[in-house]
Amino acid sequence: MKVFLNGQLVDREDARITVFDHGLLYGDGVFEGIRSYNGLVFKLSEHLDRLYDSAKAIELQIPMTKKELENAVIDTLNGNNLRDAYIRLVITRGAGDLGLDPRKCKKATVFIITDRIVLYPREYYEKGLEIIIAKTCRNIKCALDPQIKSLNYLNNILAKIEAIKANAQEAIMLSNDGYVTECTGDNIFIVKKNVLLTPPESVGLLKGVTRHAVMNLAKAAGISVKGVMMKPKDLYSADECFLTGTAAEIVPVTKINDKTIGSGQPGKVTLKLLKAFQESTKVAGVKY
Ligand code: PXG
């Protein structure tokens, strides 16, 4: 396996980073998870835009242009002969000293890992996920805005640990004032009376690339889409529920905190959108 590290493709064993890197010492950095389908990188420019926005929000200078980074992603994919891949793009503050001061980090570290995509088990799509509502709240915007896809994922990991302990596959995170935000690595949608509802960006969530694509596909299919504030009780009375994310695509949810959602089976709208989404991945993307 070849890894892109600071301008070069190196062997996996040689892709080493110093223990003084602030990405490691402080989670000081940003990242993206991207997918390619049969030689097409899905929504690459949206992912790159979000990466640069995240970096700007933490005042981190990415030492490459978007075009250079795009070429680096493609070179890494080709260097590994991957047609269907998961792509992890990471920018850290770089090597500094043991203090927090980011000015000590003279140059950001850039690396790209491309690997075979590990798909969710088929069963998840056929039966739907059983998920919980975590006690851990989502970070509040004025502390660390969830729109920033930073290397500090402890907030999400704490909720994920709750899910694992409850034998659930995912956890819904609420805002500090009790509104549904998103899951630990996926956005959430419900369907009520054929209307697609999802928490608005203002609640404090990551603006998922898949979320955006699904909202557009729904509109194109004549389904109306609304961003609405929701409490857990609004989820329990939904006809359908599903999660969206780069790895999951669209995955149905059939139980939340042991309460059955809708018929207890993946819903019609969910399956229709999943089909439309999978079709879209075959035709759109950056070719390599
Ligand atoms: N919310 C959060 C908090 C995320 O981390 C999403 C939503 C979905 O966004 P996209 O752009 O992918 O539609 C994410 C992204 C993993 C993994 O290995 C998943 C994410 C991030 C890091 C790792 O499952 N999801």
Side-chain angles (χ1 to χ4, degrees):
M1 181 198 278
K2 298 275 186 198
V3 175
F4 177 94
L5 177 60
N6 296 326
Q8 283 179 342
L9 275 186
V10 298
D11 284 329
R12 177 193 177 121
E13 296 71 32
D14 300 322
R16 293 205 185 96
I17 284 172
T18 167
V19 292
F20 290 95
D21 194 298
H22 279 208
L24 177 61
L25 288 175
Y26 295 113
D28 187 356
V30 293
F31 77 103
E32 279 298 320
I34 312 170
R35 252 177 105 163
S36 77
Y37 294 87
N38 191 28
L40 293 172
V41 186
F42 188 65
K43 305 279 182 197
L44 181 55
S45 76
E46 288 193 28
H47 282 286
L48 290 175
D49 286 347
R50 186 170 67 185
L51 183 76
Y52 278 78
D53 288 347
S54 294
K56 189 162 183 226
I58 67 163
E59 300 196 27
L60 169 62
Q61 181 79 38
I62 299 179
M64 292 169 77
T65 62
K66 276 187 201 173
K67 192 70 205 165
E68 285 168 342
L69 214 42
E70 177 179 328
N71 290 337
V73 166
I74 286 166
D75 290 347
T76 313
L77 286 164
N78 285 329
N80 288 288
N81 274 318
L82 286 165
R83 306 306 291 161
D84 290 273
Y86 183 80
I87 304 152
R88 177 62 58 91
L89 192 42
V90 183
I91 321 284
T92 81
R93 189 79 65 181
D97 64 17
L98 290 179
L100 270 79
D101 191 346
R103 292 171 302 183
K104 299 280 169 62
C105 307
K106 295 301 176 202
K107 198 166 186 222
T109 301
V110 178
F111 62 88
I112 304 168
I113 307 168
T114 56
D115 205 352
R116 260 183 272 280
I117 171 89
V118 181
L119 295 175
Y120 279 27
R122 246 175 102 109
E123 193 195 333
Y124 286 13
Y125 297 89
E126 287 165 359
K127 292 191 180 155
L129 301 182
E130 298 186 4
I131 69 176
I132 60 155
I133 298 181
K135 292 189 175 66
T136 307
C137 288
R138 190 73 175 103
N139 279 332
I140 54 172
K141 279 190 276 180
C142 62
L144 177 58
D145 193 333
Q147 280 199 23
I148 303 169
K149 199 164 166 65
S150 86
L151 288 180
N152 195 317
Y153 253 57
L154 268 180
N155 179 217
N156 311 55
I157 290 165
L158 291 176
K160 185 83 185 180
I161 289 170
E162 289 187 52
I164 293 163
K165 284 188 177 161
N167 237 330
Q169 290 110 359
E170 251 294 5
I172 296 168
M173 303 177 79
L174 304 178
S175 62
N176 191 39
D177 47 359
Y179 290 96
V180 174
T181 65
E182 59 182 333
C183 290
T184 69
D186 298 288
N187 292 112
I188 187 163
F189 286 83
I190 59 169
V191 178
K192 253 186 202 177
K193 298 196 170 76
N194 288 316
V195 178
L196 189 59
L197 306 170
T198 195
E201 289 162 17
S202 59
V203 75
L205 51 75
L206 184 78
K207 288 193 273 177
V209 170
T210 319
R211 172 181 181 270
H212 189 229
V214 167
M215 289 165 92
N216 285 337
L217 286 169
K219 284 177 204 159
I223 300 165
S224 76
V225 184
K226 284 189 190 141
V228 289
M229 299 292 278
M230 302 177 204
K231 291 264 170 106
K233 67 169 171 43
D234 300 309
L235 302 181
Y236 301 143
S237 60
D239 301 323
E240 302 180 27
C241 178
F242 62 83
L243 309 182
T244 64
T246 295
E249 299 181 330
I250 297 174
V251 62
V253 172
T254 46
K255 257 187 189 173
I256 302 174
N257 276 1
D258 282 328
K259 293 178 179 63
T260 300
I261 305 304
S263 65
Q265 299 290 321
K268 266 199 215 120
V269 175
T270 305
L271 295 176
K272 183 175 174 175
L273 289 170
L274 176 58
K275 198 164 168 230
F277 183 84
Q278 289 178 333
E279 287 301 316
S280 78
T281 62
K282 289 183 194 158
V283 291
V286 175
K287 215 173 160 157
Y288 62 94

mmCIF file of all heavy atoms in Angstrom, residues 184-223:
data_model
loop_
_atom_site.group_PDB
_atom_site.id
_atom_site.type_symbol
_atom_site.label_atom_id
_atom_site.label_comp_id
_atom_site.label_asym_id
_atom_site.label_seq_id
_atom_site.Cartn_x
_atom_site.Cartn_y
_atom_site.Cartn_z
ATOM 1 N N THR A 184 -23.160 9.561 15.500
ATOM 2 C CA THR A 184 -21.730 9.769 15.756
ATOM 3 C C THR A 184 -20.920 9.924 14.465
ATOM 4 O O THR A 184 -19.884 10.565 14.469
ATOM 5 C CB THR A 184 -21.132 8.618 16.590
ATOM 6 O OG1 THR A 184 -21.111 7.428 15.787
ATOM 7 C CG2 THR A 184 -21.943 8.361 17.844
ATOM 8 N N GLY A 185 -21.411 9.319 13.384
ATOM 9 C CA GLY A 185 -20.704 9.462 12.103
ATOM 10 C C GLY A 185 -21.658 9.508 10.930
ATOM 11 O O GLY A 185 -21.286 9.185 9.798
ATOM 12 N N ASP A 186 -22.904 9.891 11.188
ATOM 13 C CA ASP A 186 -23.934 9.939 10.141
ATOM 14 C C ASP A 186 -24.964 11.008 10.476
ATOM 15 O O ASP A 186 -25.221 11.274 11.642
ATOM 16 C CB ASP A 186 -24.694 8.599 10.058
ATOM 17 C CG ASP A 186 -23.793 7.440 9.700
ATOM 18 O OD1 ASP A 186 -23.372 7.364 8.549
ATOM 19 O OD2 ASP A 186 -23.496 6.620 10.597
ATOM 20 N N ASN A 187 -25.587 11.565 9.442
ATOM 21 C CA ASN A 187 -26.730 12.476 9.643
ATOM 22 C C ASN A 187 -28.019 11.658 9.713
ATOM 23 O O ASN A 187 -28.048 10.502 9.307
ATOM 24 C CB ASN A 187 -26.805 13.495 8.503
ATOM 25 C CG ASN A 187 -25.652 14.472 8.535
ATOM 26 O OD1 ASN A 187 -24.778 14.473 7.664
ATOM 27 N ND2 ASN A 187 -25.616 15.330 9.546
ATOM 28 N N ILE A 188 -29.071 12.282 10.250
ATOM 29 C CA ILE A 188 -30.333 11.553 10.437
ATOM 30 C C ILE A 188 -31.492 12.228 9.702
ATOM 31 O O ILE A 188 -31.543 13.464 9.615
ATOM 32 C CB ILE A 188 -30.639 11.380 11.960
ATOM 33 C CG1 ILE A 188 -31.857 10.470 12.184
ATOM 34 C CG2 ILE A 188 -30.823 12.725 12.672
ATOM 35 C CD1 ILE A 188 -31.974 9.938 13.610
ATOM 36 N N PHE A 189 -32.376 11.392 9.176
ATOM 37 C CA PHE A 189 -33.593 11.848 8.487
ATOM 38 C C PHE A 189 -34.773 11.044 9.004
ATOM 39 O O PHE A 189 -34.617 9.884 9.381
ATOM 40 C CB PHE A 189 -33.499 11.564 6.985
ATOM 41 C CG PHE A 189 -32.583 12.470 6.217
ATOM 42 C CD1 PHE A 189 -31.218 12.236 6.176
ATOM 43 C CD2 PHE A 189 -33.086 13.543 5.499
ATOM 44 C CE1 PHE A 189 -30.368 13.059 5.447
ATOM 45 C CE2 PHE A 189 -32.249 14.378 4.768
ATOM 46 C CZ PHE A 189 -30.887 14.137 4.740
ATOM 47 N N ILE A 190 -35.965 11.653 8.970
ATOM 48 C CA ILE A 190 -37.192 10.869 9.142
ATOM 49 C C ILE A 190 -38.144 11.201 7.992
ATOM 50 O O ILE A 190 -37.993 12.238 7.327
ATOM 51 C CB ILE A 190 -37.896 11.105 10.505
ATOM 52 C CG1 ILE A 190 -38.273 12.569 10.711
ATOM 53 C CG2 ILE A 190 -37.065 10.585 11.661
ATOM 54 C CD1 ILE A 190 -39.196 12.816 11.918
ATOM 55 N N VAL A 191 -39.098 10.305 7.793
ATOM 56 C CA VAL A 191 -40.169 10.539 6.812
ATOM 57 C C VAL A 191 -41.471 10.548 7.593
ATOM 58 O O VAL A 191 -41.710 9.652 8.407
ATOM 59 C CB VAL A 191 -40.205 9.420 5.745
ATOM 60 C CG1 VAL A 191 -41.348 9.660 4.759
ATOM 61 C CG2 VAL A 191 -38.867 9.313 5.022
ATOM 62 N N LYS A 192 -42.261 11.616 7.381
ATOM 63 C CA LYS A 192 -43.584 11.705 8.002
ATOM 64 C C LYS A 192 -44.567 12.169 6.946
ATOM 65 O O LYS A 192 -44.356 13.223 6.347
ATOM 66 C CB LYS A 192 -43.555 12.720 9.151
ATOM 67 C CG LYS A 192 -43.606 12.066 10.508
ATOM 68 C CD LYS A 192 -43.727 13.061 11.631
ATOM 69 C CE LYS A 192 -43.217 12.373 12.897
ATOM 70 N NZ LYS A 192 -43.209 13.264 14.042
ATOM 71 N N LYS A 193 -45.599 11.373 6.716
ATOM 72 C CA LYS A 193 -46.614 11.699 5.695
ATOM 73 C C LYS A 193 -45.952 12.080 4.374
ATOM 74 O O LYS A 193 -46.277 13.114 3.772
ATOM 75 C CB LYS A 193 -47.518 12.833 6.180
ATOM 76 C CG LYS A 193 -48.301 12.481 7.441
ATOM 77 C CD LYS A 193 -49.454 13.446 7.648
ATOM 78 C CE LYS A 193 -50.390 13.001 8.736
ATOM 79 N NZ LYS A 193 -49.886 13.221 10.090
ATOM 80 N N ASN A 194 -44.981 11.286 3.967
ATOM 81 C CA ASN A 194 -44.269 11.475 2.695
ATOM 82 C C ASN A 194 -43.425 12.744 2.605
ATOM 83 O O ASN A 194 -42.978 13.096 1.513
ATOM 84 C CB ASN A 194 -45.235 11.409 1.503
ATOM 85 C CG ASN A 194 -45.708 9.990 1.293
ATOM 86 O OD1 ASN A 194 -44.903 9.062 1.339
ATOM 87 N ND2 ASN A 194 -47.008 9.827 1.116
ATOM 88 N N VAL A 195 -43.219 13.429 3.731
ATOM 89 C CA VAL A 195 -42.312 14.585 3.737
ATOM 90 C C VAL A 195 -41.011 14.136 4.418
ATOM 91 O O VAL A 195 -41.045 13.428 5.428
ATOM 92 C CB VAL A 195 -42.936 15.790 4.477
ATOM 93 C CG1 VAL A 195 -41.969 16.968 4.516
ATOM 94 C CG2 VAL A 195 -44.245 16.196 3.822
ATOM 95 N N LEU A 196 -39.890 14.564 3.813
ATOM 96 C CA LEU A 196 -38.586 14.211 4.370
ATOM 97 C C LEU A 196 -38.136 15.309 5.328
ATOM 98 O O LEU A 196 -38.065 16.476 4.952
ATOM 99 C CB LEU A 196 -37.599 14.063 3.202
ATOM 100 C CG LEU A 196 -36.228 13.493 3.511
ATOM 101 C CD1 LEU A 196 -36.325 12.102 4.118
ATOM 102 C CD2 LEU A 196 -35.393 13.445 2.226
ATOM 103 N N LEU A 197 -37.840 14.921 6.564
ATOM 104 C CA LEU A 197 -37.464 15.901 7.587
ATOM 105 C C LEU A 197 -36.078 15.589 8.136
ATOM 106 O O LEU A 197 -35.740 14.427 8.369
ATOM 107 C CB LEU A 197 -38.470 15.864 8.739
ATOM 108 C CG LEU A 197 -39.948 16.042 8.368
ATOM 109 C CD1 LEU A 197 -40.845 15.734 9.565
ATOM 110 C CD2 LEU A 197 -40.201 17.463 7.879
ATOM 111 N N THR A 198 -35.299 16.632 8.339
ATOM 112 C CA THR A 198 -33.959 16.447 8.917
ATOM 113 C C THR A 198 -33.648 17.658 9.789
ATOM 114 O O THR A 198 -34.142 18.760 9.518
ATOM 115 C CB THR A 198 -32.919 16.231 7.785
ATOM 116 O OG1 THR A 198 -31.718 15.705 8.353
ATOM 117 C CG2 THR A 198 -32.602 17.509 7.023
ATOM 118 N N PRO A 199 -32.857 17.481 10.848
ATOM 119 C CA PRO A 199 -32.525 18.647 11.677
ATOM 120 C C PRO A 199 -31.817 19.720 10.844
ATOM 121 O O PRO A 199 -31.021 19.388 9.957
ATOM 122 C CB PRO A 199 -31.590 18.075 12.744
ATOM 123 C CG PRO A 199 -31.920 16.625 12.799
ATOM 124 C CD PRO A 199 -32.279 16.234 11.396
ATOM 125 N N PRO A 200 -32.114 20.997 11.106
ATOM 126 C CA PRO A 200 -31.466 22.077 10.343
ATOM 127 C C PRO A 200 -30.017 22.257 10.800
ATOM 128 O O PRO A 200 -29.665 21.881 11.920
ATOM 129 C CB PRO A 200 -32.300 23.298 10.713
ATOM 130 C CG PRO A 200 -32.819 23.000 12.081
ATOM 131 C CD PRO A 200 -33.004 21.512 12.148
ATOM 132 N N GLU A 201 -29.206 22.861 9.924
ATOM 133 C CA GLU A 201 -27.792 23.099 10.261
ATOM 134 C C GLU A 201 -27.644 23.889 11.549
ATOM 135 O O GLU A 201 -26.700 23.700 12.311
ATOM 136 C CB GLU A 201 -27.126 23.883 9.128
ATOM 137 C CG GLU A 201 -26.925 23.055 7.883
ATOM 138 C CD GLU A 201 -26.690 23.921 6.648
ATOM 139 O OE1 GLU A 201 -26.375 25.119 6.795
ATOM 140 O OE2 GLU A 201 -26.825 23.382 5.536
ATOM 141 N N SER A 202 -28.633 24.783 11.800
ATOM 142 C CA SER A 202 -28.527 25.682 12.956
ATOM 143 C C SER A 202 -28.530 24.951 14.297
ATOM 144 O O SER A 202 -28.119 25.513 15.311
ATOM 145 C CB SER A 202 -29.682 26.695 12.925
ATOM 146 O OG SER A 202 -30.904 25.991 12.954
ATOM 147 N N VAL A 203 -28.959 23.673 14.327
ATOM 148 C CA VAL A 203 -28.985 22.940 15.597
ATOM 149 C C VAL A 203 -27.558 22.571 16.039
ATOM 150 O O VAL A 203 -27.308 22.309 17.219
ATOM 151 C CB VAL A 203 -29.890 21.679 15.491
ATOM 152 C CG1 VAL A 203 -29.240 20.559 14.704
ATOM 153 C CG2 VAL A 203 -30.301 21.174 16.876
ATOM 154 N N GLY A 204 -26.619 22.592 15.048
ATOM 155 C CA GLY A 204 -25.228 22.212 15.351
ATOM 156 C C GLY A 204 -24.966 20.791 14.915
ATOM 157 O O GLY A 204 -25.135 19.848 15.685
ATOM 158 N N LEU A 205 -24.586 20.640 13.659
ATOM 159 C CA LEU A 205 -24.293 19.307 13.107
ATOM 160 C C LEU A 205 -23.286 19.441 11.977
ATOM 161 O O LEU A 205 -22.997 20.547 11.516
ATOM 162 C CB LEU A 205 -25.585 18.638 12.598
ATOM 163 C CG LEU A 205 -26.509 19.410 11.650
ATOM 164 C CD1 LEU A 205 -26.003 19.506 10.233
ATOM 165 C CD2 LEU A 205 -27.882 18.744 11.633
ATOM 166 N N LEU A 206 -22.746 18.291 11.554
ATOM 167 C CA LEU A 206 -21.862 18.305 10.393
ATOM 168 C C LEU A 206 -22.726 18.310 9.144
ATOM 169 O O LEU A 206 -23.628 17.475 9.003
ATOM 170 C CB LEU A 206 -20.941 17.079 10.386
ATOM 171 C CG LEU A 206 -19.931 17.114 9.239
ATOM 172 C CD1 LEU A 206 -18.774 18.064 9.547
ATOM 173 C CD2 LEU A 206 -19.392 15.738 8.914
ATOM 174 N N LYS A 207 -22.439 19.257 8.250
ATOM 175 C CA LYS A 207 -23.196 19.333 7.001
ATOM 176 C C LYS A 207 -22.703 18.219 6.091
ATOM 177 O O LYS A 207 -21.747 18.397 5.323
ATOM 178 C CB LYS A 207 -22.984 20.693 6.328
ATOM 179 C CG LYS A 207 -23.689 21.832 7.045
ATOM 180 C CD LYS A 207 -23.719 23.076 6.178
ATOM 181 C CE LYS A 207 -22.478 23.908 6.342
ATOM 182 N NZ LYS A 207 -22.450 25.092 5.468
ATOM 183 N N GLY A 208 -23.325 17.061 6.204
ATOM 184 C CA GLY A 208 -22.876 15.878 5.474
ATOM 185 C C GLY A 208 -23.016 16.059 3.970
ATOM 186 O O GLY A 208 -24.009 16.598 3.491
ATOM 187 N N VAL A 209 -22.016 15.578 3.273
ATOM 188 C CA VAL A 209 -22.058 15.607 1.807
ATOM 189 C C VAL A 209 -23.180 14.674 1.321
ATOM 190 O O VAL A 209 -23.921 15.004 0.390
ATOM 191 C CB VAL A 209 -20.675 15.202 1.225
ATOM 192 C CG1 VAL A 209 -20.742 14.978 -0.268
ATOM 193 C CG2 VAL A 209 -19.643 16.274 1.578
ATOM 194 N N THR A 210 -23.325 13.542 1.984
ATOM 195 C CA THR A 210 -24.389 12.595 1.621
ATOM 196 C C THR A 210 -25.761 13.204 1.937
ATOM 197 O O THR A 210 -26.700 13.081 1.157
ATOM 198 C CB THR A 210 -24.208 11.268 2.385
ATOM 199 O OG1 THR A 210 -22.832 10.936 2.403
ATOM 200 C CG2 THR A 210 -25.010 10.148 1.747
ATOM 201 N N ARG A 211 -25.851 13.873 3.086
ATOM 202 C CA ARG A 211 -27.101 14.556 3.489
ATOM 203 C C ARG A 211 -27.551 15.510 2.386
ATOM 204 O O ARG A 211 -28.704 15.491 1.964
ATOM 205 C CB ARG A 211 -26.835 15.317 4.802
ATOM 206 C CG ARG A 211 -27.948 16.231 5.293
ATOM 207 C CD ARG A 211 -27.476 16.911 6.595
ATOM 208 N NE ARG A 211 -28.467 17.789 7.182
ATOM 209 C CZ ARG A 211 -28.587 19.089 6.899
ATOM 210 N NH1 ARG A 211 -27.770 19.655 6.009
ATOM 211 N NH2 ARG A 211 -29.511 19.820 7.495
ATOM 212 N N HIS A 212 -26.621 16.314 1.905
ATOM 213 C CA HIS A 212 -26.927 17.290 0.869
ATOM 214 C C HIS A 212 -27.373 16.593 -0.422
ATOM 215 O O HIS A 212 -28.377 16.979 -1.046
ATOM 216 C CB HIS A 212 -25.688 18.169 0.625
ATOM 217 C CG HIS A 212 -25.941 19.338 -0.261
ATOM 218 N ND1 HIS A 212 -25.129 19.634 -1.323
ATOM 219 C CD2 HIS A 212 -26.918 20.261 -0.270
ATOM 220 C CE1 HIS A 212 -25.601 20.700 -1.945
ATOM 221 N NE2 HIS A 212 -26.698 21.104 -1.319
ATOM 222 N N ALA A 213 -26.643 15.542 -0.795
ATOM 223 C CA ALA A 213 -26.976 14.795 -2.023
ATOM 224 C C ALA A 213 -28.371 14.175 -1.907
ATOM 225 O O ALA A 213 -29.163 14.230 -2.856
ATOM 226 C CB ALA A 213 -25.926 13.711 -2.276
ATOM 227 N N VAL A 214 -28.685 13.629 -0.735
ATOM 228 C CA VAL A 214 -29.991 12.975 -0.526
ATOM 229 C C VAL A 214 -31.122 14.002 -0.566
ATOM 230 O O VAL A 214 -32.188 13.750 -1.144
ATOM 231 C CB VAL A 214 -29.979 12.180 0.804
ATOM 232 C CG1 VAL A 214 -31.385 11.753 1.219
ATOM 233 C CG2 VAL A 214 -29.065 10.963 0.678
ATOM 234 N N MET A 215 -30.887 15.177 0.003
ATOM 235 C CA MET A 215 -31.918 16.229 -0.036
ATOM 236 C C MET A 215 -32.217 16.617 -1.499
ATOM 237 O O MET A 215 -33.370 16.773 -1.891
ATOM 238 C CB MET A 215 -31.472 17.445 0.781
ATOM 239 C CG MET A 215 -31.475 17.170 2.284
ATOM 240 S SD MET A 215 -30.577 18.394 3.245
ATOM 241 C CE MET A 215 -31.882 19.527 3.644
ATOM 242 N N ASN A 216 -31.152 16.715 -2.306
ATOM 243 C CA ASN A 216 -31.345 17.059 -3.720
ATOM 244 C C ASN A 216 -32.041 15.944 -4.499
ATOM 245 O O ASN A 216 -32.909 16.213 -5.331
ATOM 246 C CB ASN A 216 -30.004 17.397 -4.377
ATOM 247 C CG ASN A 216 -29.513 18.772 -3.948
ATOM 248 O OD1 ASN A 216 -30.310 19.616 -3.538
ATOM 249 N ND2 ASN A 216 -28.207 18.984 -4.017
ATOM 250 N N LEU A 217 -31.673 14.700 -4.201
ATOM 251 C CA LEU A 217 -32.316 13.571 -4.894
ATOM 252 C C LEU A 217 -33.796 13.499 -4.540
ATOM 253 O O LEU A 217 -34.628 13.203 -5.397
ATOM 254 C CB LEU A 217 -31.628 12.250 -4.510
ATOM 255 C CG LEU A 217 -30.252 12.005 -5.121
ATOM 256 C CD1 LEU A 217 -29.585 10.803 -4.459
ATOM 257 C CD2 LEU A 217 -30.355 11.777 -6.635
ATOM 258 N N ALA A 218 -34.110 13.782 -3.272
ATOM 259 C CA ALA A 218 -35.517 13.750 -2.835
ATOM 260 C C ALA A 218 -36.312 14.816 -3.582
ATOM 261 O O ALA A 218 -37.385 14.530 -4.126
ATOM 262 C CB ALA A 218 -35.602 13.957 -1.327
ATOM 263 N N LYS A 219 -35.764 16.026 -3.636
ATOM 264 C CA LYS A 219 -36.463 17.119 -4.330
ATOM 265 C C LYS A 219 -36.683 16.750 -5.795
ATOM 266 O O LYS A 219 -37.769 16.960 -6.336
ATOM 267 C CB LYS A 219 -35.657 18.419 -4.232
ATOM 268 C CG LYS A 219 -35.763 19.070 -2.860
ATOM 269 C CD LYS A 219 -34.885 20.313 -2.790
ATOM 270 C CE LYS A 219 -34.518 20.626 -1.350
ATOM 271 N NZ LYS A 219 -33.325 21.478 -1.230
ATOM 272 N N ALA A 220 -35.655 16.179 -6.421
ATOM 273 C CA ALA A 220 -35.771 15.784 -7.833
ATOM 274 C C ALA A 220 -36.840 14.713 -8.025
ATOM 275 O O ALA A 220 -37.448 14.613 -9.090
ATOM 276 C CB ALA A 220 -34.419 15.283 -8.343
ATOM 277 N N ALA A 221 -37.092 13.930 -6.969
ATOM 278 C CA ALA A 221 -38.110 12.864 -7.064
ATOM 279 C C ALA A 221 -39.486 13.376 -6.633
ATOM 280 O O ALA A 221 -40.432 12.592 -6.493
ATOM 281 C CB ALA A 221 -37.686 11.683 -6.195
ATOM 282 N N GLY A 222 -39.582 14.681 -6.389
ATOM 283 C CA GLY A 222 -40.875 15.266 -6.028
ATOM 284 C C GLY A 222 -41.241 15.106 -4.560
ATOM 285 O O GLY A 222 -42.393 15.317 -4.167
ATOM 286 N N ILE A 223 -40.260 14.730 -3.747
ATOM 287 C CA ILE A 223 -40.516 14.581 -2.303
ATOM 288 C C ILE A 223 -40.154 15.912 -1.640
ATOM 289 O O ILE A 223 -39.061 16.439 -1.881
ATOM 290 C CB ILE A 223 -39.641 13.443 -1.706
ATOM 291 C CG1 ILE A 223 -39.964 12.113 -2.392
ATOM 292 C CG2 ILE A 223 -39.797 13.357 -0.192
ATOM 293 C CD1 ILE A 223 -38.927 11.026 -2.154
#
